[in-house]
């Protein structure tokens, strides 16, 4: 139960960071994160640490994702996902490619509000790892 509390606290802090970065609209941040993750999920995590500048996947390696795919991954209605994606495009956080599909361009992650949110998320993740270790659980068991 202790580890569930740790993980729950991390998730809640991540959602609060998303809400702050997206002008109080947590769901907009969640849809943004879902698009960002979906477009790079085909790339091994290790490559982000070694092969890409600042850990950012080049735009030409990002796989565009459909609104339907995002709706399915978040278990929300397609129309709800479509509205959030349209808003992200209007705000310049996403761009349409290949017709109806979208990506989060790498340059977006350099925006001050996202740099701050990602910095807070990294801090919170390191706090989670430290608390996990203090509890006596080896980090290798986290998988």
């Amino acid at each position: 139960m202790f580890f569930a509390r740790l993980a729950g606290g991390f998730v809640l802090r991540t959602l609060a960071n998303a809400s702050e970065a997206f002008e109080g609209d947590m769901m907009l941040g969640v849809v943004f994160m879902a698009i960002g993750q979906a477009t790079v999920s085909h790339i091994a995590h290790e490559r982000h640490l070694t092969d890409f500048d600042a850990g950012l996947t080049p735009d030409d390696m990002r796989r565009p994702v459909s609104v339907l795919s995002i709706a399915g991954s978040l278990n929300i209605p397609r129309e709800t996902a479509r509205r959030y994606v349209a808003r992200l495009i209007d705000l310049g956080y996403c761009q349409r490619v290949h017709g109806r599909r979208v990506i989060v361009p790498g340059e977006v992650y350099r925006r001050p509000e996202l740099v701050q949110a990602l910095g807070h998320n990294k801090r919170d993740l390191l706090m989670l790892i430290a608390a996990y270790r203090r509890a006596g659980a080896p980090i290798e068991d986290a998988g």
Side-chain angles (χ1 to χ4, degrees), residues 17-67:
N17 290 336
S19 180
E20 185 177 324
F22 289 91
E23 301 174 347
D25 191 336
M26 180 188 66
M27 193 61 190
L28 190 64
V30 169
V31 172
F32 172 83
M33 288 188 286
I35 295 167
Q37 289 296 310
T39 61
V40 299
S41 64
H42 63 286
I43 300 170
H45 295 291
E46 297 79 17
R47 289 200 62 197
H48 289 279
L49 298 174
T50 59
D51 295 354
F52 307 135
D53 176 42
L56 289 175
T57 305
D59 289 350
D60 63 349
M61 291 183 71
R62 294 173 188 274
R63 287 191 182 156
V65 64
S66 70
V67 169

Side-chain angles (χ1 to χ4, degrees), residues 16 31 36 38 45 49 52-53 67 69 72 75 80-81 88 93 126 129:
V31 172
H45 295 291
L49 298 174
F52 307 135
D53 176 42
V67 169
S69 175
N75 197 26
T80 300
L88 287 166
Y93 287 104
L126 293 173
I129 292 168

Side-chain angles (χ1 to χ4, degrees), residues 65-88:
V65 64
S66 70
V67 169
L68 185 60
S69 175
I70 294 303
S73 73
L74 296 175
N75 197 26
I76 60 175
R78 188 186 68 74
E79 180 58 25
T80 300
R82 187 201 63 74
R83 282 193 308 271
Y84 279 109
V85 168
R87 188 160 166 224
L88 287 166

